[in-house]
Amino acid sequence: MLFSEAIERPGGEAAVLLHGGAWDIPPDQHEDHLAGLREALDCARGILEKDGCALDSVAAAVESMESSGIFDAGCGGVLNLEGEVELDCGIMCGRTLDYGAVVGVKRIENPVLLARFILEKSDGSARILTCEGAEKFAGSNGFSLVDKADLVSERERSRYSELRERMEGYHTSHPFLSSGKQPRGTVGCVARDRSGALAAATSTGGTPLRPAGRVGDSALPGSGYYASGSAACSATGWGEAIIASLLAGRSVDGVGVGGAPAEVLSDVLEQMQASIRNEDGQGATGGLILLDSEGAGAWAFSTPHMARAGWAEGGQSWAAV
Ligand code: GLY
């Protein structure tokens, strides 16, 4: 089953779409997800309405979702096999193709702010920083480092104990972990500002019980996010499959060569599902949001749910799970 919708441009210049993960989100969590999406959308929209830039807008939305504890990102991140939070995040400017990303950070409350800082400050020689190196860089540039236990939530501690009892094999393509029943998430945002610039950001706590040091898609440009002059895209789902499918980059390219956003997103998700399978033979699933250079766009997902929200100048804010 694949769900998708084209988002028309109602007339104005600025637009934003965001997601809070694509998986089998339990009904009793829908209200929380909607509340978290609305709060993040207000942050992103407020910046665009004040003539702010797309990069600030996506960073603000992702920061809000990282801080909410609702989603698999920031202090809501799922735990790795060792019971620790390890966060990945990337952000990209469509106008300059500059990006910044961090991988496996355990002591940074809002990885998107560090990724954004790297994007702004990098001279191009280092754009993806990992683990202690990223934290050292953060500390020497005025970011406060929290105790790594501070990012472990009670909800995720309980999930971890339950999963460890239940699982025999601990790897991300295990049928149970890759089936979409567990948060596989990420949060992400794409925006177009009034000047026409596009930006994308994606942030995640990764997949439950992944081996320490595993790198997912969310920090990798072209996989978990991508932005160009043509479009900006953020992806969510099974990271190993998203990397192999170059999901965000192919979506942006597909729109760049004239594809209709909703069709392009549906096609790349269908191709991923048909070509990459877990040990049970289930095709890889995920979700995408994309805005094009006109501020029109689409969302699509091949999971039972995707938390998603959007707004475009001249239209109403909306949110759905
Ligand atoms: N899509 C998030 C991850 O696999 O890490």
Side-chain angles (χ1 to χ4, degrees):
M1 188 96 72
L2 195 134
F3 307 92
S4 74
E5 186 172 285
I7 310 287
E8 302 302 329
R9 177 181 163 193
E13 295 293 327
V16 58
L17 285 177
L18 51 94
H19 71 76
W23 57 292
D24 197 357
I25 304 169
D28 65 356
Q29 292 184 27
H30 287 194
E31 275 314 311
D32 278 355
H33 277 66
L34 288 169
L37 289 167
R38 288 187 187 113
E39 200 171 319
L41 184 61
D42 284 349
C43 296
R45 174 180 171 169
I47 288 170
L48 295 173
E49 283 182 317
K50 288 187 194 114
D51 267 342
C53 73
L55 268 176
D56 284 341
S57 175
V58 297
V62 169
E63 179 186 1
S64 166
M65 289 190 280
E66 287 175 343
S67 298
S68 72
I70 296 166
F71 306 99
D72 176 16
C75 61
V78 300
L79 307 187
N80 67 12
L81 191 52
E82 293 174 7
E84 292 186 329
V85 164
E86 276 184 311
L87 305 171
D88 297 352
C89 176
I91 184 167
M92 184 162 185
C93 170
R95 194 164 263 168
T96 61
L97 302 187
D98 288 339
Y99 62 93
V102 293
V103 174
V105 292
K106 300 178 181 174
R107 304 185 57 204
I108 305 290
E109 251 179 313
N110 289 109
V112 72
L113 299 183
L114 182 54
R116 172 79 204 273
F117 185 81
I118 294 167
L119 182 157
E120 297 284 352
K121 301 296 172 204
S122 172
D123 59 3
S125 59
R127 292 207 172 275
I128 304 181
L129 298 181
T130 69
C131 311
E132 289 86 3
E135 290 167 358
K136 197 170 166 190
F137 175 82
S140 58
N141 282 287
F143 284 78
S144 42
L145 299 179
V146 298
D147 191 296
K148 60 186 179 182
D150 292 350
L151 295 180
V152 177
S153 68
E154 270 318 308
R155 180 190 70 194
E156 294 310 324
R157 220 188 288 275
S158 317
R159 188 195 312 278
Y160 175 77
S161 307
E162 194 197 314
L163 286 175
R164 284 229 56 163
E165 274 173 28
R166 214 168 145 171
M167 304 297 301
E168 285 168 19
Y170 306 109
H171 51 87
T172 52
S173 68
H174 187 285
F176 181 65
L177 294 179
S178 62
S179 66
K181 293 279 178 212
Q182 294 296 319
R184 259 190 341 190
T186 71
V187 301
C189 184
V190 294
R192 180 198 194 270
D193 63 32
R194 285 178 176 159
S195 79
L198 291 159
T202 300
S203 182
T204 191
T207 49
L209 299 195
R210 66 200 178 281
R214 171 261 187 188
V215 180
D217 58 298
S218 302
L220 305 181
S223 296
Y225 63 101
Y226 198 74
S228 72
S230 308
C233 180
S234 171
T236 170
W238 177 12
E240 282 66 19
I242 293 173
I243 292 169
S245 305
L246 290 175
L247 216 52
R250 283 179 53 221
S251 301
V252 167
D253 271 358
V255 170
V257 296
E263 282 172 29
V264 169
L265 299 193
S266 300
D267 284 353
V268 294
L269 285 175
E270 274 168 3
Q271 283 166 23
M272 180 171 82
Q273 194 156 15
S275 53
I276 301 175
R277 300 186 176 277
N278 69 14
E279 287 174 4
D280 266 1
Q282 296 165 321
T285 55
L288 290 162
I289 51 173
L290 178 142
L291 279 177
D292 70 15
S293 57
E294 301 297 320
W299 53 257
F301 56 95
S302 50
T303 46
H305 297 279
M306 179 167 79
R308 59 199 187 277
W311 167 81
E313 214 160 19
Q316 301 290 322
S317 289
W318 57 270
V321 173

